[in-house]
Amino acid sequence: MNKWLNRRTANVCVALLVILAVSGGFISNRASAQDEITLTMSAWDVATTPYWQAVIDAYEAEHPNVTVELIDVPSADYQDTMNIRLSGGDDTDIITVKDIPGYSAMLTRGQIVPLNDLIEASGVDLSAYSGAAEELTYEGSIYALPFRSDIWILYYNKTIFDAAGLDYPTNDMTWGEFGALARELTSGSGADKIYGAHFHVWRSAVQLGTVQDGLNTIISDDYSFMAPMYDMVTAMQKDGIIMDYGELRAGNIHYSGPFENGQVAMLPMGSWFIGTLVAAQADGVFDFDWGVASYPHPEGVAAGTTAGTLTSLAINEESDNKDAAWDFVQFYTGEEGAKVLAGTGNLPALRTPEILEIFASKDGVPVEATDALQTTTVRLELPMHPNVGEVEQILNEEHELIMTDSLSVEEGLEETTSRISEVLQ
């Protein structure tokens, strides 16, 4: 009798809950422990990128009622494909945001959901992302949370330093100290020449150091703030401290070549290069000792301030499973997802000492990585702006003119200011 009464009471309660939900005009689409739900998530190059599925597997292990299916798009076509799909009403639940121009396009078209209310309700601590979340904020709203963040650091050849009798770079080195050290490390000539440093041909290799102070960004109405960095790099090029930009361009020389050949003492580059060097050393491509240090910083800027790129997750405005998608996004971008990501040899956007220890414990990763990868602030390579694509094109063109000495630093930056001002009007 009591069991019958209990079952009857339970049935009545369920019925009342359904009535209340319907009468309220809303039935939550959050996946409860009993609901079977399938989420879809856009991604690229799934077959060659193990971390996509690794984090999903960890989530599904904790949520056995949820299945997450990856929508695989070739990396080179990713943003164009997603633009077409989303414009056509695609309802993929979770959208992976590959870069800032793509993020900017999706949010201005209203294709992804603002997350502010969800973040506040869930108590997500955005400060844990070391400034990365602020970089994704546009006009007070944030539409994605970062899960992967590659930062710029400094690679160095220990064998060259030892031969020169110089101390290794520290995690608190200014650009001025970097330049002076590079001059001390330069030696030899011809095939035996050792270059004190190497700047790859990307504009970012020079320009990122100009925005570390947070006072300036790549979107500006005056680019004269870049002059000190360009003056230093062009002087190093003129004096043979670094390889010639024109020769690197003409030879289509990848930055890995000079470093792995032992021709370069120091190389500012992204953290993604760690995995490349670990694999190359394991394959016997080179046999010298190497290390990493924090990215050099301008005078007056805190050590550990660097620039980076973000990969983040957003929720599709057309998704029928927004609540369940948010639960998944929190896991993927939070500490649990970060630990899984670090275990695959990738740098998460969330980097606690424990997470960095997981990353640094991978075979071949330099012991200095745990400290070198600690960040104070991460500035985004490209900030949010509706015209960021056009601005980047101009910056690339003017960078080449300066580095090939077709324009002086002053002339190039004046022309950059003039051209970009027209775009921003």
Side-chain angles (χ1 to χ4, degrees):
M1 185 66 175
N2 286 339
K3 290 183 179 177
W4 180 84
L5 283 175
N6 287 340
R7 284 199 300 271
R8 186 180 183 191
T9 302
N11 290 337
V12 169
C13 289
V14 169
L16 284 172
L17 286 172
V18 171
I19 291 169
L20 287 170
V22 172
S23 63
F26 174 75
I27 299 178
S28 171
N29 54 9
R30 181 187 294 276
S32 72
Q34 291 75 36
D35 293 332
E36 291 292 335
I37 189 166
T38 297
L39 293 172
T40 51
M41 171 182 172
S42 64
W44 54 87
D45 300 343
V46 171
T48 57
T49 313
Y51 70 74
W52 294 119
Q53 192 61 49
V55 185
I56 288 173
D57 289 344
Y59 181 81
E60 291 178 340
E62 291 190 12
H63 304 77
N65 60 313
V66 181
T67 300
V68 183
E69 296 180 351
L70 287 169
I71 310 295
D72 191 11
V73 178
S75 176
D77 304 326
Y78 181 78
Q79 197 54 54
D80 289 341
T81 301
M82 292 309 299
N83 287 342
I84 294 170
R85 291 180 66 131
L86 293 173
S87 297
D90 181 285
D91 62 356
T92 298
D93 299 300
I94 301 136
I95 306 299
T96 305
V97 180
K98 193 169 186 284
D99 54 33
I100 289 301
Y103 180 58
S104 176
M106 289 189 285
L107 75 87
T108 53
R109 292 171 187 155
Q111 294 169 334
I112 50 180
V113 177
L115 302 178
N116 298 57
D117 292 343
L118 294 169
I119 288 169
E120 183 177 356
S122 302
V124 175
D125 179 12
L126 296 181
S127 67
Y129 295 99
S130 301
E134 284 81 351
E135 301 286 1
L136 292 172
T137 300
Y138 180 66
E139 295 184 344
S141 295
I142 182 169
Y143 296 77
L145 286 183
F147 69 90
R148 181 178 171 182
S149 172
D150 282 297
I151 58 170
W152 280 68
I153 56 177
L154 183 68
Y155 297 82
Y156 58 92
N157 182 318
K158 291 183 176 179
T159 302
I160 293 177
F161 273 81
D162 291 343
L166 295 170
D167 293 335
Y168 301 147
T170 72
N171 293 321
D172 185 5
M173 183 167 66
T174 67
W175 281 111
E177 292 168 337
F178 165 85
L181 185 56
R183 289 179 179 274
E184 289 189 76
L185 289 160
T186 301
S187 65
S189 61
D192 297 325
K193 178 158 186 175
I194 299 295
Y195 293 88
H198 186 78
F199 280 86
H200 190 48
V201 295
W202 299 331
R203 61 148 195 91
S204 53
V206 177
Q207 295 178 358
L208 292 182
T210 70
V211 297
Q212 284 173 277
D213 58 9
L215 302 175
N216 301 289
T217 77
I218 295 298
I219 309 292
S220 176
D221 57 3
D222 181 1
Y223 287 86
S224 59
F225 68 87
M226 291 184 173
M229 192 70 179
Y230 268 109
D231 285 341
M232 182 190 78
V233 175
T234 53
M236 293 171 76
Q237 179 174 254
K238 180 181 178 183
D239 295 340
I241 310 301
I242 61 175
M243 292 182 175
D244 182 76
Y245 176 94
E247 293 178 8
L248 293 172
R249 271 287 187 203
N252 194 26
I253 297 173
H254 191 267
Y255 55 83
S256 60
F259 192 81
E260 292 176 357
N261 290 338
Q263 298 172 276
V264 170
M266 297 186 290
L267 170 67
M269 186 48 61
S271 54
W272 59 82
F273 192 41
I274 290 178
T276 303
L277 285 178
V278 168
Q281 193 166 31
D283 291 342
V285 175
F286 66 90
D287 61 0
F288 58 80
D289 292 331
W290 58 284
V292 292
S294 297
Y295 197 48
H297 59 88
E299 190 76 46
V301 173
T305 302
T306 185
T309 57
L310 299 174
T311 311
S312 51
L313 295 183
I315 299 173
N316 189 351
E317 184 63 55
E318 298 298 323
S319 168
D320 293 326
N321 305 297
K322 291 187 178 67
D323 287 347
W326 171 239
D327 191 67
F328 176 78
V329 168
Q330 287 183 85
F331 181 94
Y332 212 104
T333 61
E335 188 169 345
E336 293 163 299
K339 289 178 180 176
V340 178
L341 200 66
T344 63
N346 293 278
L347 263 185
L350 195 67
R351 289 196 284 270
T352 65
E354 181 184 3
I355 291 168
L356 285 178
E357 187 60 38
I358 294 172
F359 175 82
S361 65
K362 294 283 292 181
D363 288 343
V365 174
V367 295
E368 304 88 356
T370 302
D371 293 332
L373 294 170
Q374 295 276 5
T375 56
T376 304
T377 302
V378 178
R379 309 287 184 199
L380 208 56
E381 280 197 24
L382 287 170
M384 276 297 308
H385 195 282
N387 302 106
V388 66
E390 294 172 86
V391 170
E392 186 181 27
Q393 178 64 31
I394 294 170
L395 289 170
N396 285 333
E397 293 169 358
E398 298 298 330
H399 171 70
E400 181 160 330
L401 291 173
I402 293 172
M403 293 304 299
T404 54
D405 207 22
S406 300
L407 292 176
S408 68
V409 171
E410 182 179 3
E411 290 169 340
L413 296 180
E414 285 179 356
E415 194 163 291
T416 302
T417 298
S418 175
R419 292 180 64 192
I420 292 179
S421 294
E422 292 180 12
V423 170
L424 300 180
Q425 284 180 352

